[in-house]
Amino acid sequence: MSKIMIELKDVNKWYGDFHVLKNVNLSVKEGEKLVISGPSGSGKSTLIRCINGLESHQTGDIIVDGTVLNNNVKHLESIRQKVGMVFQHFNLFPHLSVLENLMLGPVWVLKKSKKDAHDIAMKYLERVQIADQAHKFPGQLSGGQQQRVAIARSLCMSPKVMLFDEPTSALDPEMVKEVLEVMVELAEKERITMLCVTHEMGFAQKVADSVVFMDQGMIVEQTPPEEFFTKPRTERGQQFLAQIL
Ligand code: ADP
Ligand code: MG
């Protein structure tokens, strides 16, 4: 049996009076790939932002690789080092070159030498097939290229977990494929645990172990992709699919 990498136990979160996560329970094994789907506003982003401590939750437990996420700064730092995140908008530093963007984390957080950081950065730029753009600035790249840089930047930190929040939804349609291909390759070749908020069914069917369907702050069902996209178990899942298909 693989070990549990991420565990959420009865997690609740409020924004003011608004109950955004309701008794969320989730258990993700090491190396497992989950797709999180559900209507806009259902709490998907909030859920994954809680897992790396970008948002705090009020009750329940979140445990990542054995470390409890709480107000202890040491725990938070430890979890952030293990968990990489890729956002809808790439969040690259515009005034730094692609290479410099990738070297920042290894130099400042992992305390690598400049030479080692450079080698790590180039290795992952090659991995996402963009090494020839290393000396450009993010603004000189297409959206699809920038998102691949953002993925490479996360990989430079050797994360155990990668969280993706709608990584292709801000891209022009012709660029979606190149980003999904990188993610599929990552999913198939690495033991990294992946949680990916996306409505890309092809991606889910290729790589996901299961689809976690959220609605109104709750996990409504967790179903294998081939089943979720043909016959979701819940009525709410069926209604949602009817809208996105
Ligand atoms: P999703 O990613 O599924 O679209 P979110 O997690 O972004 O959903 O948001 C869930 C709900 O919480 C939405 O109703 C949203 O308006 C609300 N929300 C998100 N962030 C905040 C915030 N910082 N303050 C108050 N409400 C928020
Ligand atoms: Mg969202």
Side-chain angles (χ1 to χ4, degrees), residues 131-195:
D132 54 336
Q133 313 288 323
H135 296 288
K136 288 196 180 163
F137 289 92
Q140 297 172 297
L141 305 185
S142 73
Q145 290 174 321
Q146 289 187 57
Q147 193 58 302
R148 286 188 280 144
V149 170
I151 293 170
R153 180 181 54 179
S154 276
L155 291 172
C156 285
M157 302 296 287
S158 308
K160 290 189 163 184
V161 176
M162 287 273 280
L163 306 174
F164 294 86
D165 193 359
E166 305 207 34
T168 59
S169 61
L171 298 176
D172 291 333
E174 69 270 23
M175 289 164 193
V176 169
K177 194 163 158 262
E178 67 188 53
V179 171
L180 288 176
E181 277 170 2
V182 164
M183 291 170 60
V184 168
E185 209 216 52
L186 194 66
E188 286 173 347
K189 294 208 178 137
E190 304 277 340
R191 205 159 153 68
I192 299 177
T193 307
M194 283 171 63
L195 267 64

Side-chain angles (χ1 to χ4, degrees), residues 41-201:
S42 56
K44 306 179 299 294
S45 295
T46 302
L47 176 72
I48 65 167
R49 291 168 65 85
C50 281
I51 292 174
N52 72 349
L54 280 176
E55 294 280 357
S56 55
H57 59 289
Q58 278 86 41
T59 66
D61 293 320
I62 300 180
I63 302 153
V64 181
D65 198 26
T67 304
V68 181
L69 191 53
N70 52 21
N71 293 328
N72 186 326
V73 178
K74 286 257 174 303
H75 289 198
L76 190 60
E77 281 174 358
S78 149
I79 286 175
R80 291 234 176 105
Q81 277 198 30
K82 292 175 186 174
V83 180
M85 176 126 182
V86 174
F87 303 88
Q88 186 175 354
H89 302 283
F90 330 115
N91 299 8
L92 298 168
F93 289 109
H95 60 292
L96 298 179
S97 71
V98 163
L99 183 60
E100 288 163 345
N101 264 281
L102 267 67
M103 288 172 61
L104 271 186
V107 168
W108 292 102
V109 182
L110 303 182
K111 312 290 180 205
K112 303 271 188 199
S113 69
K114 284 239 160 102
K115 173 167 189 323
D116 286 350
H118 175 276
D119 293 349
I120 293 168
M122 290 311 298
K123 172 176 143 188
Y124 287 111
L125 286 175
E126 271 160 36
R127 196 69 201 280
V128 301
Q129 295 172 26
I130 208 161
D132 54 336
Q133 313 288 323
H135 296 288
K136 288 196 180 163
F137 289 92
Q140 297 172 297
L141 305 185
S142 73
Q145 290 174 321
Q146 289 187 57
Q147 193 58 302
R148 286 188 280 144
V149 170
I151 293 170
R153 180 181 54 179
S154 276
L155 291 172
C156 285
M157 302 296 287
S158 308
K160 290 189 163 184
V161 176
M162 287 273 280
L163 306 174
F164 294 86
D165 193 359
E166 305 207 34
T168 59
S169 61
L171 298 176
D172 291 333
E174 69 270 23
M175 289 164 193
V176 169
K177 194 163 158 262
E178 67 188 53
V179 171
L180 288 176
E181 277 170 2
V182 164
M183 291 170 60
V184 168
E185 209 216 52
L186 194 66
E188 286 173 347
K189 294 208 178 137
E190 304 277 340
R191 205 159 153 68
I192 299 177
T193 307
M194 283 171 63
L195 267 64
C196 185
V197 178
T198 182
H199 304 313
E200 292 287 343
M201 281 190 275

